[in-house]
Each structure stands twice: as structure tokens, then as C-alpha cells.
């Protein structure tokens, strides 16, 4: 797991504009150590792979520095149910949601929450990461798929735009995050 985390950092360092859509878990950029540990441990347990979670977590968290360095922008869309899906303990999840609220204040970060009950033009998709307009990484249960074909990349750009129309930002997004945190009590 550590090698997988370290392998992606060079692609991330070259990217200037990230568009990320998550329908399952919060993106690695935004994870706290406790959330990342609980998530990676569950993946390791499920896959039956060697347990190197303690070494993988710092490698995952190292990507967060990219939000604070260089001229990068992060536009992230999160399905509301991701906020309500507990990864780790209630305390860990509350801290993770608090961290998400803090990240919203960064000038390089735009976070949109897609409310569960909203009418949608674009159905929930698998999680994907757009790296500039050059590449898409799609996460499935068993693999990360890299898409380079320009027509397919354009489809993901269009899907991100459609999903963005359903998302709420600012105070409305913060209210959904705070509501998810309050439901942990």
C-alpha cells in the first residue's frame, strides 16, 4: 500500500488543476491520519495484502502539502452520503469532518457537496480524479484505471461540470458537513 501511495505523487506534483469527484470516501488530499488509517486498514483486511498501513498513511498524507504549495487549484465534489459514511470511530470521523471544514477556507480549494435528495442530471458515478485536462484516474474496487484518450477525458470533464450543477458550496456545504458531524453524537 505504501508503494501505491508513493507512486502517484509525481503525477500529482505535475498537475495544476485537480477536479475530483468522490462517491465513496474522502480524497487522500483531505484525509486526516486517523481516517486514512481506518480506511487503509479496511482495504488491507479486505484484500488480504501485507499490512503496511503505518508506512502508507504518511505517504498518503504527504499529498496534502500540494494544497499549500505552488499554483494549484482543487475543485472537489463530494456526495453527501460520503460525509455520513463513518470511516473509523465516531471521534475520528468528527475530526475528519472538522478538518474538511478547515480546508474549505483555503483559497486553492473549492468543495461542493452534492445533497442526497437533489434532482440530478448526472447519476452517481465511480470516484474519479481529473488531472488538468490530460488524464483521468478512475477508482474501482480492484483497480485504478488511467484514462488518456482525449474523447474519454472530455467525457469526464463534461460529467464533472454536470455534477457541479447539483452541488452546493459555501454556507450550504458547510451546513451539510456540520449536520453530518452532529449526527455522530
Amino acid at each position: 500500500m505504501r508503494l501505491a501511495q508513493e507512486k502517484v505523487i509525481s503525477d500529482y506534483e505535475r498537475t495544476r488543476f485537480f477536479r475530483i469527484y468522490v462517491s465513496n470516501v474522502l480524497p487522500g488530499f483531505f484525509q486526516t491520519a486517523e481516517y486514512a488509517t481506518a480506511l487503509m486498514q479496511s482495504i488491507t483486511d479486505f484484500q488480504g495484502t501485507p499490512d503496511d498501513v503505518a508506512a502508507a498513511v504518511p505517504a498518503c498524507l504527504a499529498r496534502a502539502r500540494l494544497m499549500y504549495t505552488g499554483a494549484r487549484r482543487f475543485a472537489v465534489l463530494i456526495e453527501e452520503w460520503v460525509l455520513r459514511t463513518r470511516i473509523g470511530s465516531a471521534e475520528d470521523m468528527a475530526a475528519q469532518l472538522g478538518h474538511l471544514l478547515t480546508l474549505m477556507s483555503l483559497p486553492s480549494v473549492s468543495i461542493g457537496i452534492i445533497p442526497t435528495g437533489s434532482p440530478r442530471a448526472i447519476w452517481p458515478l465511480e470516484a474519479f480524479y481529473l488531472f488538468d485536462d490530460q488524464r483521468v484516474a478512475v477508482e474501482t474496487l480492484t483497480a485504478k484505471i488511467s484514462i488518456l484518450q482525449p474523447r474519454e477525458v472530455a467525457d469526464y470533464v463534461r460529467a464533472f461540470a454536470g455534477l457541479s450543477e447539483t452541488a452546493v458550496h459555501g454556507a450550504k456545504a458547510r451546513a451539510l458537513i456540520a449536520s453530518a458531524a452532529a449526527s455522530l453524537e
Side-chain angles (χ1 to χ4, degrees):
M1 190 157 289
R2 179 185 56 81
L3 292 174
Q5 297 299 318
E6 291 174 348
K7 184 178 170 186
V8 298
I9 195 67
S10 64
D11 282 344
Y12 285 54
E13 288 172 334
R14 286 191 298 269
T15 302
R16 294 291 164 239
F17 182 33
F18 294 86
R19 280 168 285 183
I20 302 167
Y21 165 76
V22 291
S23 57
N24 47 13
V25 297
L26 292 170
F29 289 107
F30 291 177
Q31 294 174 8
T32 62
E34 295 78 14
Y35 184 96
T37 299
L39 177 61
M40 288 186 199
Q41 191 63 61
S42 68
I43 293 168
T44 296
D45 293 347
F46 177 80
Q47 293 177 338
T49 55
D51 187 345
D52 67 346
V53 170
V57 168
C60 174
L61 299 180
R63 285 181 266 168
R65 72 177 163 73
L66 298 176
M67 291 186 291
Y68 303 94
T69 61
R72 292 179 186 85
R73 293 180 303 138
F74 297 81
V76 181
L77 300 175
I78 303 168
E79 294 284 356
E80 181 182 2
W81 59 75
V82 172
L83 306 174
R84 296 180 178 279
T85 302
R86 196 173 93 193
I87 305 292
S89 71
E91 295 79 20
D92 293 345
M93 193 66 195
Q96 175 62 67
L97 294 171
H99 181 62
L100 192 58
L101 287 168
T102 300
L103 293 174
M104 292 179 82
S105 67
L106 294 176
S108 62
V109 175
S110 168
I111 297 175
I113 307 297
I114 301 172
T116 303
S118 294
R120 328 173 52 112
I122 302 288
W123 57 97
L125 302 170
E126 61 285 337
F128 65 85
Y129 291 63
L130 276 157
F131 298 85
D132 296 317
D133 285 333
Q134 306 303 309
R135 183 173 77 82
V136 181
V138 179
E139 296 179 348
T140 71
L141 176 65
T142 58
K144 186 176 282 187
I145 301 166
S146 186
I147 297 172
L148 300 169
Q149 209 287 330
R151 183 185 45 74
E152 291 183 78
V153 172
D155 286 344
Y156 279 92
V157 169
R158 196 166 51 109
F160 190 89
L163 290 161
S164 294
E165 292 176 12
T166 308
V168 297
H169 294 80
K172 289 181 180 178
R174 282 191 288 282
L176 289 173
I177 296 167
S179 173
S183 73
L184 292 165
E185 297 170 0

